[in-house]
Amino acid sequence: MELLQITQLTQVTYSLSAVILALTFGVVSYPFYRVWDGLSSIVFQMFSFIILYLTPISNYIHLVIVLIGFDLLTGSYASIKAGDKFSAAKMRHTVEKFALYSLSIIIAYILQRIIDDGNELARIVALYIGSIELKSNYENISRILKSDILRKVWDLINDKIKGYIDSRSLDSTTNTYNGSSTDTPNDTTNNPNP
């Protein structure tokens, strides 16, 4: 090895050993500050890059945070109202849900970025997670109100869908669409080629 390479390697080794000594024994020295300034700058730049890279999906992660927060509030209130005991394990479960749900959205975003330049996969994952949390919120509200609100909402949606389908089928049987008559295949009045 050349003398210059050995000197550079020695300086790096001394810098690392100074950091290790400072962290181990609490010794603060001038070289430690120089190394720490460099490390903090690198950490700050990496953190900034990660935040900027994930900016397109920040709304999805915020949505998950809000829904988990509402789930925590409604679940806690429902448990208190039912007389259940508060436990740290349930809080840990909430923190785990947030971390894993956010990680799922981030992984979907990275995978989508590898495939092509978009965030549709992250949106689908966020919508799925959001629907899970929304259902959990409805279940908690149903426990609080002692009324199956989810079933009522589901029945209302089904009634609206059935009403829409029935109105569409009536229009097709009368051969009208919104009150105007439709052309039949045998009608030659509007057909330029009889």
Side-chain angles (χ1 to χ4, degrees):
M1 294 178 76
E2 293 181 16
L3 185 59
L4 182 63
Q5 290 175 340
I6 293 173
T7 306
Q8 289 173 344
L9 184 62
T10 305
Q11 288 174 349
V12 169
T13 306
Y14 285 143
S15 297
L16 288 175
S17 62
V19 169
I20 292 170
L21 282 174
L23 293 175
T24 306
F25 299 110
V27 177
V28 179
S29 63
Y30 179 72
F32 173 71
Y33 283 123
R34 280 195 339 206
V35 170
W36 181 251
D37 286 343
L39 287 176
S40 65
S41 175
I42 291 171
V43 169
F44 179 74
Q45 288 175 357
M46 288 175 56
F47 183 72
S48 298
F49 173 75
I50 291 170
I51 293 297
L52 288 174
Y53 184 75
L54 297 177
T55 299
I57 60 169
S58 64
N59 289 339
Y60 305 145
I61 295 175
H62 294 155
L63 174 70
V64 168
I65 291 170
V66 167
L67 288 174
I68 289 174
F70 284 145
D71 186 38
L72 176 66
L73 291 174
T74 58
S76 298
Y77 185 69
S79 295
I80 289 170
K81 195 167 181 181
D84 295 339
K85 294 172 80 177
F86 179 79
S87 69
K90 291 180 182 178
M91 288 297 291
R92 187 184 72 220
H93 179 68
T94 301
V95 172
E96 287 174 354
K97 276 195 328 188
F98 164 70
L100 294 176
Y101 285 168
S102 298
L103 187 62
S104 299
I105 294 170
I106 291 169
I107 289 171
Y109 177 69
I110 291 171
L111 182 64
Q112 181 71 38
R113 293 292 296 214
I114 290 170
I115 295 171
D116 66 359
D117 195 22
N119 59 359
E120 292 83 17
L121 187 59
R123 181 180 303 137
I124 292 169
V125 170
L127 286 173
Y128 178 73
I129 291 169
S131 66
I132 291 171
E133 287 302 309
L134 191 63
K135 183 177 182 288
S136 177
N137 279 310
Y138 279 135
E139 289 171 354
N140 292 334
I141 292 170
S142 296
R143 282 178 43 205
I144 293 169
L145 299 176
K146 301 203 183 329
S147 166
D148 195 4
I149 193 168
L150 188 60
R151 173 58 55 194
K152 290 179 182 178
V153 169
W154 184 252
D155 290 342
L156 179 67
I157 291 171
N158 278 337
D159 291 342
K160 294 287 184 182
I161 291 173
K162 286 178 185 177
Y164 178 75
I165 291 172
D166 290 342
S167 70
R168 299 294 289 173
S169 64
L170 284 176
D171 287 345
S172 65
T173 57
T174 59
N175 211 15
T176 60
Y177 180 72
N178 291 334
S180 63
S181 64
T182 57
D183 293 334
T184 60
N186 295 332
D187 186 11
T188 58
T189 57
N190 292 332
N191 191 354
N193 298 326

